[in-house]
Amino acid sequence: MRTASISPGSRSGAAIAAAALLALTTGCGPGADGPAGGSPGPADGPTSYTAKDTDITAEPGERFAVTVDQNASTREYWYLVDPEPDSSVLVSRGREHASDSGDGAGAGGRLAFTFEAKGRGVTRFTLLHCTFTTCQGNTSELPPETTAPSDTPATEATPSQAPERITYTVTVD
């Protein structure tokens, strides 16, 4: 039995290497990460919006997430606050934090608030953004007792140091 030998400089070696590379890269396109150039499809998970996307349109049954930057090590937190969205139109499905560095200690990250569109209509929800100068006594799970500046802020409070409130309008068609 004769075996083929492939030397690094031979044409057959280059052809086999090219074929192996082609086989390895086949199917390595957008695939599981979603379609090229954009938003994930329904099978890939919820559509993602940023804090600036305050007008959202969804279809009944669709899930979407509003993702904000958050750094707990600097006492920066976001909360879904009252008034809650109309539950016949939109339901909160929780929140999930992802660390930028993967270790979670002292690193910033992103917090995604996930919602599910239930029925046709228009509703609103509000996210409250607290920093160490705008809210006292808050943690990632415990929002401040007031949405106004604290009675005992870390620095002298001015009206510009009130927590940021962003209201989102969701239309379900």
Side-chain angles (χ1 to χ4, degrees):
M1 175 179 213
R2 186 173 167 188
T3 60
S5 118
I6 302 173
S7 63
S10 74
R11 283 187 190 194
S12 61
I16 290 173
L21 181 60
L22 180 61
L24 287 172
T25 59
T26 301
C28 291
D33 294 332
S39 302
D44 296 322
T47 302
S48 186
Y49 295 95
T50 68
K52 295 178 183 177
D53 298 320
T54 58
D55 290 313
I56 298 170
T57 301
E59 296 178 6
E62 181 180 349
R63 284 190 180 216
F64 65 88
V66 174
T67 303
V68 295
D69 291 328
Q70 175 173 286
N71 190 340
S73 69
T74 60
R75 295 188 329 229
E76 174 188 25
Y77 300 105
W78 288 84
Y79 309 97
L80 177 63
V81 295
D82 288 331
E84 295 282 325
D86 179 345
S87 62
S88 68
V89 178
L90 187 68
V91 176
S92 172
R93 294 296 181 202
R95 61 189 188 163
E96 186 175 325
H97 184 267
S99 176
D100 285 340
S101 69
D103 66 8
R110 286 167 302 290
L111 182 63
F113 291 88
T114 303
F115 299 89
E116 182 178 347
K118 297 304 278 182
R120 298 186 191 288
V122 177
T123 190
R124 290 178 178 75
F125 67 88
T126 300
L127 295 182
L128 178 70
H129 180 211
C130 286
T131 65
F132 73 98
T133 61
T134 61
C135 302
Q136 296 297 305
N138 59 312
T139 66
S140 64
E141 298 299 320
L142 177 68
E145 297 211 10
T146 179
T147 57
S150 169
D151 291 336
T152 57
T155 61
E156 186 154 328
T158 65
S160 66
Q161 290 179 312
E164 178 183 20
R165 296 174 68 89
I166 302 175
T167 299
Y168 298 83
T169 302
V170 179
T171 303
V172 179
D173 297 323

